Amino acid sequence: MTLIKSISGIRGTIGGKPDEGLNPLSTVKFTAAYAAFIRLHKSRKTHNRIVVGRDARISGEMVHCLVTGTLTGMGFDVVDIGMATTPTTELAVVTEKACGGIILTASHNPKQWNALKLLNERGEFLTAEEGAEVLALAEKEDFHFAGIEKLGKIILDNRYKERHIEQILALELVDPDAIRAANFRVAIDCINSVGGVVIPDLLYALGVREIFKLHCNPHGNFSHNPEPLPENLTEIAGLMTQAKADVGFVVDPDVDRLAIVCENGDMFGEEYTLVAVADYVLSTCGGGNTVSNLSSSRALKDITLKHGGEYYAAAVGEVNVVNKMKKCNAVIGGEGNGGIIYPASHYGRDALVGIALFLTYLAKKKMKVSELRATFPSYFMSKQKIELTPGVDVDAILSKIREAYTTEQITDIDGIKIDFPNKWVHLRKSNTEPIIRVYSEAHTIEEAEALGYEIIKEIKSTIGL
């Protein structure tokens, strides 16, 4: 059994002994620590409420009962929005003027996993410093449960799916009339989680009349590996040609990542989900700034410069991208894993917003999805890793690699990224195991892989392997 305690939340496999996995004891402890953290930092402008939403995982109901019971035991009222997407829960925190929120989801991890994703009063993920404080409170068990007179209550509210859809329809750059006129045939794969509840309703509200559904029953028994990568999406690829669908959409279990499938069954490429939506937003707004993390495709930078804007890179992690977006007043941003952050809606990855913006763009361009994909700069990415023996000084290795490439553009806000004129490589150390992840990108997959192999060879030479 596995339990991973990190600044972004607590995730683990269900079951095991008291000191293993995401079991009832660990769930209560970390929920109580989060509540204690919120109590220490609660603004007077917010209500004494914490929002709780969950995806459709098999363990969701069990974890949900533990979390809501613990929060009321800590003296907080819980706004229970039931089965809801991550972006829906983020929006609910703001709408309720709550002092925080917890999303019960392990995102793209398999069904045996679950997690507590922790939000602040703005419906955004905690910073590294805030996450560390929660972990310290849990380690010391530095929290006190409420007495009988100060117990919280549970407020059930199952209307947030509709509110989220209404908010999307009200966005200036979403055009349901154009989508309706395009008469799109849309295929979807919702991995038997909460997307199967909300995405069909969103598409119907946008004016889509024909929807071909895969795995939309939210029972949590995921039909395939839930990460929306090409190797996991063979079924919808086949459905595209069989159903003569115009576009396919695939989401992960909590609906914050969006993968797109072309009409011919080819993958649009998760790196290009953000690129396409950004191209639409920038072309409509007359330019603007964009942000993605260091491991995302250079294509976003190319598109941004084409529209006269400035591109900025952030350290890996949604909270880092959001902070950078705020600093540079970005009009669109996100991550190359299919995560779109559109500030006009909210500062969180939102596949629902991505679907609405992409369909609007597709309707206005009057092109096939494959034709639209061909208009963007073509890059290929390789993702490799090098496993090291415990005790190896990873920072020293990265420092030596940096010294070897001083003539190139170096970014060191998150590991080492080396930008060459027509390619790049990004080296990041793992926080949980002796591994260096090596991401590289070039105009062909052969070039990208060769660059990764070259760097790995240099690392091995540095440590005498």
Side-chain angles (χ1 to χ4, degrees):
M1 297 298 172
T2 304
L3 181 65
I4 300 174
K5 299 172 279 188
S6 72
I7 58 174
S8 59
I10 312 302
R11 61 189 172 104
T13 51
I14 298 299
K17 297 179 180 179
D19 58 346
E20 299 176 346
L22 191 66
N23 55 55
L25 292 178
S26 61
T27 300
V28 169
K29 182 172 77 170
F30 288 108
T31 302
Y34 168 74
F37 165 82
I38 291 295
R39 182 72 70 203
L40 288 170
H41 298 278
K42 185 169 104 61
S43 168
R44 294 180 182 179
K45 297 179 182 178
T46 58
H47 298 306
N48 189 49
R49 297 175 183 170
I50 293 177
V51 174
V52 177
R54 71 176 180 91
D55 69 12
R57 288 172 185 274
I58 297 169
S59 62
E61 187 173 354
M62 181 270 289
V63 176
H64 171 269
C65 291
L66 293 165
V67 167
T68 56
T70 302
L71 291 175
T72 57
M74 289 291 293
F76 285 93
D77 294 336
V78 175
V79 180
D80 178 5
I81 65 172
M83 201 178 293
T85 73
T86 283
T88 302
T89 309
E90 292 168 342
L91 283 167
V93 171
V94 177
T95 301
E96 293 290 334
K97 296 179 179 166
C99 47
I102 301 181
I103 309 161
L104 311 180
T105 175
S107 192
H108 61 270
N109 289 108
K111 65 180 181 180
Q112 65 266 31
W113 289 78
N114 212 326
L116 315 180
K117 289 189 175 182
L118 311 176
L119 305 175
N120 61 22
E121 75 280 2
R122 297 183 300 278
E124 300 166 12
F125 290 113
L126 301 187
T127 65
E129 294 77 14
E130 291 168 337
E133 187 174 345
V134 173
L135 294 180
L137 289 168
E139 182 67 26
K140 295 183 292 185
E141 297 189 357
D142 189 9
F143 43 80
H144 296 83
F145 294 100
I148 189 66
E149 300 296 333
K150 295 186 177 180
L151 293 175
K153 61 181 180 294
I154 294 178
I155 305 162
L156 298 175
D157 192 334
N158 59 5
R159 297 170 295 171
Y160 269 98
K161 177 186 70 170
E162 289 76 16
R163 289 172 181 162
H164 192 175
I165 292 173
E166 289 169 3
Q167 192 252 28
I168 292 171
L169 294 177
L171 291 172
E172 184 179 355
L173 297 191
V174 173
D175 190 340
D177 291 335
I179 295 171
R180 186 175 297 106
N183 200 28
F184 288 129
R185 296 163 63 89
V186 179
I188 58 174
D189 181 348
C190 298
I191 196 64
N192 298 125
S193 191
V194 65
V197 176
V198 65
I199 290 179
D201 285 357
L202 170 68
L203 290 172
Y204 287 130
L206 288 169
V208 176
R209 299 184 184 91
E210 291 187 273
I211 304 173
F212 302 92
K213 303 176 184 178
L214 282 177
H215 314 306
C216 287
N217 186 352
H219 51 59
N221 226 335
F222 302 147
S223 52
H224 55 75
N225 186 310
E227 188 165 14
L229 298 176
E231 57 266 30
N232 302 326
L233 306 181
T234 55
E235 193 172 358
I236 192 170
L239 176 63
M240 294 301 297
T241 52
Q242 179 185 345
K244 297 182 180 179
D246 297 298
V247 61
F249 296 119
V250 184
V251 294
D252 61 343
D254 65 327
V255 198
D256 63 356
R257 289 173 59 178
L258 173 64
I260 301 170
V261 188
C262 299
E263 79 288 344
N264 57 9
D266 289 346
M267 296 297 118
F268 194 77
E270 64 172 353
E271 289 288 334
Y272 284 83
T273 298
L274 174 58
V275 174
V277 173
D279 192 42
Y280 170 52
V281 171
L282 293 170
S283 64
T284 307
C285 296
N289 297 336
T290 66
V291 174
S292 65
N293 68 43
L294 286 172
S295 290
S296 297
S297 176
R298 186 180 284 183
L300 179 63
K301 179 179 180 180
D302 294 348
I303 291 295
T304 305
L305 295 177
K306 182 188 80 170
H307 290 290
E310 290 290 333
Y311 166 80
Y312 297 87
V316 174
E318 182 175 329
V319 66
N320 298 317
V321 174
V322 167
N323 289 339
K324 192 70 173 181
M325 289 179 69
K326 291 179 179 179
K327 288 179 182 177
C328 67
N329 196 29
V331 296
I332 187 78
E335 298 181 300
N337 59 8
I340 294 170
I341 302 173
Y342 185 47
S345 174
H346 66 113
Y347 278 106
R349 297 185 306 182
D350 193 334
L352 302 176
V353 168
I355 288 172
L357 291 173
F358 185 85
L359 284 177
T360 300
Y361 192 30
L362 193 63
K364 292 179 180 293
K365 294 289 281 187
K366 301 185 187 314
M367 302 171 71
K368 292 182 178 180
V369 177
S370 60
E371 294 172 339
L372 178 62
R373 173 64 178 82
T375 66
F376 301 126
S378 185
Y379 292 101
F380 294 84
M381 191 174 294
S382 172
K383 298 182 180 182
Q384 305 174 54
K385 65 182 179 181
I386 177 169
E387 297 185 6
L388 306 170
T389 56
V392 170
D393 190 341
V394 177
D395 291 324
I397 293 173
L398 296 181
S399 180
K400 289 183 179 180
I401 295 296
R402 173 177 178 152
E403 291 171 5
Y405 289 91
T406 53
T407 58
E408 308 296 342
Q409 180 182 337
I410 302 288
T411 306
D412 59 3
I413 58 174
D414 182 7
I416 298 293
K417 184 175 184 180
I418 308 167
D419 271 291
F420 303 91
N422 297 309
K423 55 190 176 182
W424 57 259
V425 62
H426 185 202
L427 313 178
R428 296 183 68 238
K429 68 175 182 179
S430 169
N431 292 323
T432 58
E433 50 189 335
I435 284 176
I436 296 178
R437 304 191 186 280
V438 182
Y439 291 1
S440 53
E441 184 181 65
H443 285 297
T444 68
I445 187 61
E446 291 79 12
E447 287 180 281
E449 290 178 346
L451 178 57
Y453 293 145
E454 178 184 337
I455 295 295
I456 289 174
K457 183 178 178 180
E458 290 189 39
I459 292 173
K460 289 183 176 180
S461 176
T462 297
I463 59 179
L465 291 180

